[in-house]
Amino acid sequence: MSATPPGGSSPARGTATAAAPRPSASVAVGTRPGPASTPARDLLQRFREAVARHPRRDAVVAADGTTVGFGALDGQVRRLAAALVGAGVRPGQHVGVALGREPDLVVALLAVWQAGAAYVPLDPAHPQARLDHMVEDAGIEVVVAADPARTWPDGVRTVAPDASAAPPVPDVPVPADAPAYVIYTSGSTGRPKGVAVTRAAAARLVATLEESGCYTDRPARVAWNASVSFDASVQQWARVCRGDTLLLLSEDQRADPAALAAHLLHEGVTDLDVTPSHWSVLRERVVETAERLPDGIRLFVGGETIPVPMWQDLAGLGARGVVHALNLYGPTECTVDSTVGRVDGAEPHIGTPLPGVGAHVLDDELRPASEGELYLTGPAVALGYLRRTALTAERFTASPFGPPGSRMYRSGDRVRRRPDGSLAYLGRVDHQVKVNGLRIELGEIEAVLTDHPSVTAAVAVVREDDRAGRALAAYWVPAPGADSDPEPLRRHLGSRLPAHMAQLSLTALDSLPLGVGGKVDRTALPEPAEQRHRPDGADAVPAGELETLIAGAWQDVLGRERVLATDDFFALGGHSLLALRVIADLKKRRGVVIPTRMVYQHPRLRDLARAIADRGDH
């Protein structure tokens, strides 16, 4: 699904154009069924054509403004591809890419394709144990990494992103059904699962978004907002293959609405991809920027449901020609985006299918229905899950809607077909959730918790709060004789799970509430307990200017009457987007400027205050 924060029905083709004062920026979106298009040209081939057309045009603009032209980028790609082949990479293999938001990341992704291989994103910020599992699960033998000191499982070779070898690698014929990338998503068993997507499917993604009018014919300047570890990034970074310019965003820019808006204005952004949660933080500043740009901003929204007030606000901005918003829906297993709808009118919906996508609303007996579970078919359906034969067979089933041998993906999403043919999203049929646009299997959190010797049972849920929004909460039953202190569990979670899954409240219970059928009754769980690191004493009261300032910001953002200097931001219910609001609050009202990563590195209030004081530039 397109878009991440700070990772369908029958085929359709666009015929309608948004009415706006700036028609050059209006959005044509599919509204009726149409035939699937011919196979799309491979994205690497399209990149070569873009290089030939305009070798001096900016291909990539780094967060600091450094530019790389198409010709220079092509040269770097060819040199790294030669180094990868020299390191033993062969067509069809999986190559790990462990790089940050720098131009080298774009070079590496294209170089892996040039070598005929598939890339596997390995976020350097994720726990090493998780990355090691992904390396072993994907059979990775070579990793592109900038940190030579980082250790990987035995037998894995590291190639620097600026490495080169002679002679250059000639263009490698790659079958359309060869893997292009493997994206790991949350898994209910406690281990992430890899989704393998083909080169043809990746090419179709870009082609269908073009055919549906989601992309303009003019060269665009595209802000790459999503982490490369999430499938939304494919829709963004692959734009360079059609000749668009990529604007890379640093983590600090993504976390600071004012800095991000200034950067987007300076670079003349045309396209931005966001989750609704991230947009709620960015909205004021980015709208100010959009009003100063000649064609406004084309906004690709996805990853989670757009609330009604936000939908109506975006529709109003579109009518003014300021922000032209599209709502994109699609699971990782169907190559990022499956449906698209223009944001207008009063009611949110996920639109109609992209060309070539078949979407079938079926009831529990797999009969067509006006309301039911959504099943997706077509060339965008992924190969399946790596090393998960049973799970692949369960989710990728035989399709009665296509030629013999065709498959359909069971999305797990409930939808309703609207009178105009568009689809309204109703929710999940299982315990998979979206929190701040990130897909999470609650079972993975539960499995990691129960793997700790102090835990006999655990359950994870999503809590809704008017101020904090959606946040994760976990409840656990201590083993006999075990301490109920949650801190060892928090460290355990942090060593196994990425930050967006490990940032949750932990509440110890004598037992989990059970329903009549013996299953955990999630509706009977109490409110999360307030967790203090030490007894409420004089030494826990915020002291000094910095601690008092931070405490005030936390109280405002978290909606708490009192915050202690020994409190942990995430234990109090904080999460990544609330951290952004803390940073904005400290900067706007208190003049303290810090990067968001400091909140993650020092989640305890007193530790954060000391770290800020040590910087000496606040």
Side-chain angles (χ1 to χ4, degrees), residues 399-541:
S399 172
F401 304 106
S406 61
R407 301 175 305 148
M408 60 183 182
Y409 174 68
R410 180 183 179 186
S411 72
D413 292 320
R414 290 190 62 80
V415 298
R416 172 175 51 82
R417 196 177 298 281
R418 290 156 39 106
D420 64 359
S422 63
L423 297 169
Y425 178 80
L426 303 178
R428 292 290 299 178
V429 301
D430 55 20
H431 293 309
Q432 184 190 111
V433 298
K434 287 288 186 74
V435 179
N436 301 327
L438 302 176
R439 171 172 159 179
I440 296 170
E441 293 278 4
L442 295 175
E444 182 171 6
I445 298 173
E446 294 165 358
V448 173
L449 279 172
T450 54
D451 192 45
H452 193 279
S454 296
V455 179
T456 59
V459 63
V461 298
V462 173
R463 287 287 185 181
E464 301 278 357
D465 183 89
D466 290 340
R467 184 185 292 264
R470 291 168 64 83
L472 291 169
Y475 300 82
W476 60 291
V477 178
D483 193 342
S484 61
D485 181 7
E487 288 315 298
L489 288 187
R490 194 172 299 284
R491 291 192 293 271
H492 174 68
L493 288 169
S495 71
R496 296 272 296 273
L497 297 174
H500 68 274
M501 296 177 69
Q503 296 164 358
L504 42 67
S505 62
L506 287 166
T507 302
L509 300 175
D510 293 334
S511 62
L512 298 178
L514 301 180
V516 176
K519 295 183 178 180
V520 176
D521 183 357
R522 296 168 186 263
T523 64
L525 291 166
E527 289 294 316
E530 283 202 17
Q531 294 155 16
R532 305 292 187 185
H533 287 277
R534 276 186 256 167
D536 185 355
D539 62 338
V541 177

Side-chain angles (χ1 to χ4, degrees), residues 189-223:
T189 63
R191 293 286 190 178
K193 55 185 183 292
V195 180
V197 172
T198 67
R199 292 280 284 256
R204 284 293 305 152
L205 170 67
V206 174
T208 56
L209 289 169
E210 290 173 329
E211 294 166 24
S212 296
C214 296
Y215 297 161
T216 63
D217 293 334
R218 303 189 308 275
R221 296 179 68 81
V222 182

